[in-house]
Amino acid sequence: MGLNAYIHNCPARQPTVLLLDSLKPCADYGGGIAMFADVHHHILYGLDDGARTEEEMLEMLKAAADDGTKYIAATPHISLENCPFPMEEYTRKIKKAQEICAENSLDIVLCSGAEILYSDGIVNTVKRGEIPTLGNTDNVLLEFFEDVSFTELENAVRSFTGKGYHVVIAHAERYSCLGDVSRAKKLRTLYPVKYQVNAATVANGGQGIRQKIWLKKMLGSGLIDIVASDAHSTGHRRTRMKTAHGWLLKNFGDETADRLCSDNPLQILGLT
């Protein structure tokens, strides 16, 4: 059974059952809705440099639940170099993760997704349905090499937009070409692009003076759309959504904090 099916009907605590082809909640939330939706999480074991084993995946799921996250988009790294992407294995493991949540009374819903390393032609692979999109919507999470030029980044966004997709730029704080906030604004005026920053970056208010200034300018200009964990483990690259939300709450208010950590990500996943 493919992605367009129930992941799992979990009886414990009556959590949400998610129908992946419609991406709408279809059962009571039971224990209540946690605050956060995480659109960038390397939760599935054995597919990339995230969780290495089923046991490590369970620990990451527990950490996410403790961190206040309810929805997780499972976003393994994908590039043309590792295509064809093993969709059957991906589907099997995302269903296994949902089963583990039920067995451990974790009120978490897994959604589809991928962190796509841009290269020429990969949009066609996505268009053929060979790479999962965020929540089976027309939203895609794109990453780039850190030294990508602004022209290259713009061309990438144009190519996906031209095929009917909406681009979410992963960990936008990493790209030197967006260090000039005016360029980020320019791209936003040309295309319906969204910027995601990592929770670890926000939790510290930025890394280093230049990034701290950049982060506050981007947030002050309303250019940051999503905060996501980009979690790869329970160690150094762990989820830090709660801490990031707290920093946003303190520095930009509850409306901004909730919008970036919950409202916008839910919309990206097709859940609102």
Side-chain angles (χ1 to χ4, degrees), residues 110-122:
L110 278 296
C111 304
S112 66
E115 183 179 13
I116 304 166
L117 176 62
Y118 180 79
S119 60
D120 290 342
I122 201 164

Side-chain angles (χ1 to χ4, degrees), residues 50-264:
R52 292 166 294 181
T53 64
E54 187 175 311
E55 292 74 22
E56 187 172 346
M57 181 174 73
L58 171 58
E59 293 307 308
M60 289 177 66
L61 287 165
K62 288 179 177 178
D66 289 343
D67 205 32
T69 298
K70 180 179 178 69
Y71 295 97
I72 296 176
T75 56
H77 292 288
I78 300 179
S79 68
L80 281 181
E81 290 184 0
N82 62 359
C83 283
F85 179 69
M87 286 290 285
E88 289 187 8
E89 180 183 2
Y90 175 85
T91 302
R92 184 172 66 253
K93 288 182 174 178
I94 200 171
K95 290 169 71 175
K96 181 62 177 179
Q98 196 68 70
E99 292 172 5
I100 287 173
C101 288
E103 293 165 0
N104 291 273
S105 299
L106 300 175
D107 194 15
I108 287 178
V109 173
L110 278 296
C111 304
S112 66
E115 183 179 13
I116 304 166
L117 176 62
Y118 180 79
S119 60
D120 290 342
I122 201 164
V123 64
N124 297 319
T125 308
V126 177
K127 195 69 176 176
R128 290 194 298 268
E130 297 172 9
I131 294 176
T133 59
L134 291 170
N136 273 8
T137 68
D138 58 4
N139 298 309
V140 293
L141 183 68
L142 288 190
E143 72 166 332
F144 303 84
F145 293 112
E146 292 186 16
D147 61 353
V148 62
S149 70
F150 183 77
T151 298
E152 291 170 325
L153 193 148
E154 183 181 355
N155 288 340
V157 173
R158 182 189 300 115
S159 70
F160 271 85
T161 302
K163 295 287 187 178
Y165 294 103
H166 298 282
V167 172
V168 178
I169 294 180
H171 34 64
E173 68 271 28
R174 293 186 182 179
Y175 309 119
S176 58
C177 70
L178 295 178
D180 183 344
V181 174
S182 67
R183 286 184 169 180
K185 289 180 179 178
K186 176 183 177 182
L187 194 63
R188 172 68 60 81
T189 61
L190 295 173
Y191 306 98
V193 66
K194 296 188 182 300
Y195 297 108
Q196 177 255 309
V197 296
N198 283 357
T201 299
V202 176
N204 294 314
Q207 306 284 346
I209 297 299
R210 292 182 65 179
Q211 193 178 86
K212 287 178 184 293
I213 294 172
W214 177 89
L215 182 63
K216 288 196 172 183
K217 282 184 177 181
M218 289 285 285
L219 285 165
S221 300
L223 289 171
I224 300 300
D225 302 285
I226 300 164
V227 171
S229 74
D230 191 14
H232 283 65
S233 68
T234 56
H236 175 65
R237 303 184 74 180
R238 66 190 181 278
T239 176
R240 299 189 66 188
M241 292 294 291
K242 189 180 296 182
T243 306
H245 184 271
W247 186 90
L248 288 167
L249 190 67
K250 178 181 178 181
N251 290 276
F252 288 89
D254 56 355
E255 183 178 347
T256 295
D258 291 348
R259 185 174 69 251
L260 271 56
C261 297
S262 180
D263 298 343
N264 286 353

